[in-house]
Amino acid sequence: MASAELREELDCSICLSLYTDPVSLRCGHNFCRSCIVSVLDAQEAAGGYSCPDCRAEYPERPALEKNRKLRNIVERFSSTQPDMRNIVERFSSTQPDMRNIVERFSSTQPDMRNIVERFSSTQPDMEETRIFCTYCDSPAPAVRTCLQCEASFCGKHLSRHSKSPEHTLVDPNVTLEERKCSTHKEVLKYYCPIDAACICVSCWAAGDHKGHDVELLNMALEKKKKELKHFFETIKSNRKEVEERIQNLKDHGREQGQKSAGLGDRVALLFTDLRKKLDDLEKRIQGEISRQKDQVSRSVSDLVEQVELQVDKLTKDINHLEGLCNITDPLTFLQDVNAGDIIDVSYEVIGDVRGLPCVDEGLVSQILHRGLGNFADDLIDMKIKRQFSVMEKSDILLDIDTAHNNIIISQDLRSASYSAASQNRPDGPKRFKSCQVLSSRSFSSGRHYWEVDVSQAKRWIIGVAGHSLKRKVNGIESYIGYNEKSWGLMFSESFVFRHNNIYTHLASDSPVQVVGIYLDYEAGRLSFYQVCDPIRHLHTVTASFSEPLYAALYLYEGSIIRIIT
């Protein structure tokens, strides 16, 4: 099993086979040269480089370093399987200090560290790596090592060891050199927080750390653990928050999916209702057309029958007269004429088409008009039935008492235009010193919709403003969207939404001519739509509205903005 685990460590994570000509990235992960070159070539086309294992990113194509030791291990592993002992012996003969190998690669070669550790774990009889009691005649495993005495103790000899604080006991180690100062060859007993280094007493007394406030290693350990515990709790809390956000995102996605499905069903039902209403209206109109057609047809048929009878009688009279005219004997002719009935030649001509009824298109148009009118009324009921908002336009008029003196208000109070000449209106508490105007009507509840024509303005701001928006300020802090009392959609050099002077850039793939504004006061939703074909959503913001809101317009020089009825 251990050999199989080592075998896994010697597999390239890209081709899943033993390393071939292994190379390393700066992050320490190893790959076959041909495998990583192929990956980097593909990443070069995408415009960025990263490690396939840890995703470490590189601004430039990373250099590849040959890993000769890993190559040797793979070669020996391949040549000696399944006898792993020979690999250990050969490897150990050239690299006697296995701990140094682990330390050397732990920071830059995480793959090599795993390989060496698993390599060592496959050899249970390598007892030379174990530490034994210094004072036992026969080998006995050590349980502690004294840094002062530089000796290791089993449980029996440890009980007789000095309890003095100078004798620092640690877990048994392969070597004590790492526990000593590289300069003074003394035991590392102190920690210098200034330089973040473990030092000996000579370092503190006369060395590079002279005069520094130092701590005993145990005290430094406890302090660091407290710091780590604090970081640990913070990270746990952060992870919990992130996990909650992930769950919220998933819940939102699921809720919106369900909402989308429900919305689609409601739309389908609404259009089913619409088609039924239209079908009923069409049947009624088609029925009226059929009725008129039948009436005209019957009248024409009756009159044709009467005219045909008249034609038959006229034919008989013509034949009779032709017979009389063909008699040449005067006596016979006169006797037949006197004996026969006098023919009445004063016929009343019937069958004039002008007397017939016609299809009454006016009546059909009237039924269609009234039906569509009723359909418009029914449409509101159908939308309410299917739980859709009735976005009928609210009646918005501009309040001339709020208009800046460079704004001209039209007579119908729906259009505002910029004028370089002052209108010399008297000042009042409602009038703005900035070039903007509010509606005369405010909204403190309900749902409201209106449309604004900005096609004659190269730059504009439209939106809503609270009743308490400052009126007597010349600076931009009174502009729509530049404060916490107003929300504005703005087009100048770019297309943005702004509130409290915080702006959000918006994208529009076509010039905005007409903007629809929808306000749901209780829900705290304000939405903007590009009213064109097709209608496009521009932006929606949610807020807690706490005061009456007015429709608001800001005019730049040369602008005309109009409320559409």
Side-chain angles (χ1 to χ4, degrees):
M1 178 63 72
S3 178
E5 293 177 352
L6 175 60
R7 172 67 171 78
E8 293 176 0
E9 292 293 341
L10 299 178
D11 283 345
C12 171
S13 62
I14 297 176
C15 65
L16 303 181
S17 300
L18 284 174
Y19 289 112
T20 302
D21 191 14
V23 294
S24 303
L25 297 179
R26 288 200 303 272
C27 60
H29 290 103
N30 303 293
F31 309 94
C32 300
R33 176 179 290 276
S34 60
C35 294
I36 190 61
V37 167
S38 298
V39 171
L40 294 177
D41 288 344
Q43 291 179 349
E44 182 176 7
Y49 303 96
S50 63
C51 172
D53 281 356
C54 66
R55 304 300 179 189
E57 296 183 353
Y58 300 98
E60 299 179 352
R61 185 176 182 122
L64 303 178
E65 299 180 2
K66 287 186 177 181
N67 195 326
R68 294 182 176 84
K69 292 191 180 297
L70 179 56
R71 182 189 62 192
N72 294 338
I73 292 175
V74 173
E75 290 176 353
R76 293 181 181 181
F77 180 87
S78 301
S79 63
T80 60
Q81 277 294 99
D83 185 8
M84 294 298 296
R85 186 178 301 279
N86 292 334
I87 296 177
V88 176
E89 291 174 353
R90 293 178 185 176
F91 191 81
S92 299
S93 67
T94 59
Q95 302 291 334
D97 190 357
M98 296 292 289
R99 181 177 300 275
N100 291 339
I101 294 175
V102 176
E103 292 173 350
R104 187 182 311 148
F105 286 94
S106 61
S107 61
T108 61
Q109 302 290 332
D111 288 354
M112 284 296 296
R113 182 184 62 218
N114 294 337
I115 292 172
V116 173
E117 290 174 351
R118 295 201 178 186
F119 184 89
S120 302
S121 69
T122 63
Q123 311 306 317
D125 60 339
M126 295 178 66
E127 303 224 72
E128 63 269 24
T129 62
R130 300 176 62 187
I131 304 301
F132 299 98
C133 179
T134 305
Y135 300 100
C136 286
D137 294 334
S138 59
V143 294
R144 302 289 280 174
T145 296
C146 177
L147 300 181
Q148 183 70 22
C149 301
E150 296 188 8
S152 299
F153 303 90
C154 64
K156 178 181 177 182
H157 288 101
L158 180 63
S159 64
R160 295 194 290 247
H161 182 259
S162 173
K163 302 298 189 292
S164 171
E166 296 178 356
H167 293 263
T168 304
L169 296 174
V170 297
D171 292 333
N173 292 312
V174 175
T175 176
L176 296 177
E177 290 302 318
E178 64 182 11
R179 292 283 184 167
K180 291 185 178 181
C181 174
S182 60
T183 303
H184 304 102
K185 306 303 179 183
E186 298 180 12
V187 176
L188 300 173
K189 292 186 176 181
Y190 302 97
Y191 177 76
C192 177
I194 296 175
D195 297 323
C198 296
I199 63 174
C200 67
V201 64
S202 295
C203 292
W204 174 61
D208 295 336
H209 303 272
K210 182 178 180 180
H212 291 185
D213 291 331
V214 298
E215 302 170 342
L216 290 172
L217 291 181
N218 289 339
M219 295 177 61
L221 172 67
E222 294 302 321
K223 285 185 178 180
K224 288 294 181 183
K225 281 188 174 181
K226 286 182 180 179
E227 292 178 6
L228 291 177
K229 185 177 181 181
H230 172 71
F231 293 149
F232 174 74
E233 295 299 331
T234 301
I235 292 173
K236 278 183 62 177
S237 176
N238 290 342
R239 185 181 69 175
K240 183 179 180 181
E241 182 180 354
V242 170
E243 289 174 345
E244 289 177 352
R245 290 192 178 186
I246 291 174
Q247 187 60 46
N248 290 338
L249 290 172
K250 290 181 178 178
D251 292 343
H252 178 75
R254 184 172 58 256
E255 290 172 0
Q256 293 306 306
Q258 294 172 352
K259 182 178 180 180
S260 176
L263 183 60
D265 292 342
R266 286 160 47 207
V267 168
L269 291 172
L270 176 61
F271 275 90
T272 298
D273 295 342
L274 294 175
R275 281 190 289 270
K276 185 177 183 304
K277 285 287 185 181
L278 288 173
D279 288 344
D280 291 344
L281 178 58
E282 182 185 10
K283 288 178 181 179
R284 189 163 69 253
I285 295 174
Q286 294 289 8
E288 175 60 25
I289 294 173
S290 296
R291 185 192 68 78
Q292 293 189 28
K293 174 186 174 184
D294 292 342
Q295 182 183 16
V296 171
S297 178
R298 287 195 301 271
S299 299
V300 170
S301 297
D302 292 344
L303 190 57
V304 167
E305 184 178 353
Q306 295 177 26
V307 174
E308 287 176 345
L309 291 175
Q310 189 176 46
V311 169
D312 291 341
K313 184 176 185 307
L314 289 174
T315 300
K316 291 178 181 180
D317 291 342
I318 289 172
N319 292 335
H320 179 62
L321 291 175
E322 285 180 347
L324 291 176
C325 291
N326 290 331
I327 298 173
T328 58
D329 179 34
L331 179 62
T332 303
F333 174 78
L334 293 174
Q335 288 177 344
D336 287 345
V337 169
N338 293 331
D341 296 330
I342 303 289
I343 297 175
D344 187 4
V345 295
S346 59
Y347 289 98
E348 179 184 357
V349 180
I350 62 176
D352 190 351
V353 71
R354 290 175 295 181
L356 292 175
C358 299
V359 174
D360 190 350
E361 185 175 346
L363 177 59
V364 173
S365 297
Q366 181 67 17
I367 295 173
L368 177 62
H369 177 75
R370 291 182 62 85
L372 290 177
N374 294 333
F375 178 80
D377 295 335
D378 294 340
L379 179 59
I380 297 176
D381 296 334
M382 285 187 285
K383 289 169 65 178
I384 295 174
K385 176 183 177 182
R386 300 305 176 189
Q387 301 177 3
F388 285 100
S389 301
V390 181
M391 295 178 65
E392 291 189 331
K393 292 180 184 177
S394 301
D395 189 18
I396 302 293
L397 299 177
L398 299 176
D399 185 358
I400 195 170
D401 291 337
T402 67
H404 182 266
N405 267 322
N406 287 109
I407 296 178
I408 298 175
I409 304 299
S410 62
Q411 290 186 355
D412 62 0
L413 302 179
R414 298 186 188 277
S415 180
S417 57
Y418 181 89
S419 172
S422 174
Q423 302 304 299
N424 295 320
R425 302 186 189 98
D427 193 14
K430 297 169 62 177
R431 194 172 309 285
F432 281 100
K433 284 193 173 182
S434 55
C435 198
Q436 52 196 30
V437 60
L438 301 184
S439 63
S440 57
R441 178 185 178 185
S442 65
F443 308 109
S444 55
S445 63
R447 299 171 179 173
H448 308 275
Y449 175 77
W450 63 97
E451 294 178 356
V452 184
D453 183 354
V454 293
S455 60
Q456 299 182 67
K458 294 182 179 180
R459 303 167 64 196
W460 45 266
I461 307 176
I462 59 176
V464 298
H467 178 76
S468 61
L469 178 62
K470 293 181 180 179
R471 316 290 176 99
K472 305 303 179 182
V473 180
N474 288 320
I476 63 173
E477 58 266 30
S478 68
Y479 290 8
I480 302 166
Y482 285 76
N483 47 74
E484 63 179 6
K485 299 296 184 180
S486 59
W487 295 258
L489 188 70
M490 174 181 182
F491 181 79
S492 181
E493 296 180 356
S494 59
F495 193 45
V496 300
F497 171 81
R498 190 184 295 266
H499 170 64
N500 204 15
N501 208 21
I502 299 173
Y503 60 87
T504 303
H505 280 286
L506 306 177
S508 177
D509 53 7
S510 61
V512 177
Q513 303 290 325
V514 178
V515 177
I517 302 177
Y518 179 68
L519 171 65
D520 188 337
Y521 193 94
E522 281 81 7
R525 292 177 63 87
L526 177 65
S527 298
F528 297 87
Y529 301 89
Q530 180 175 326
V531 181
C532 60
D533 191 13
I535 296 175
R536 190 170 70 88
H537 173 258
L538 295 175
H539 189 68
T540 293
V541 63
T542 58
S544 297
F545 303 129
S546 58
E547 60 178 316
L549 299 177
Y550 296 82
L553 312 176
Y554 183 95
L555 283 91
Y556 290 91
E557 185 175 354
S559 297
I560 300 176
I561 300 177
R562 180 169 181 79
I563 306 295
I564 300 177
T565 57

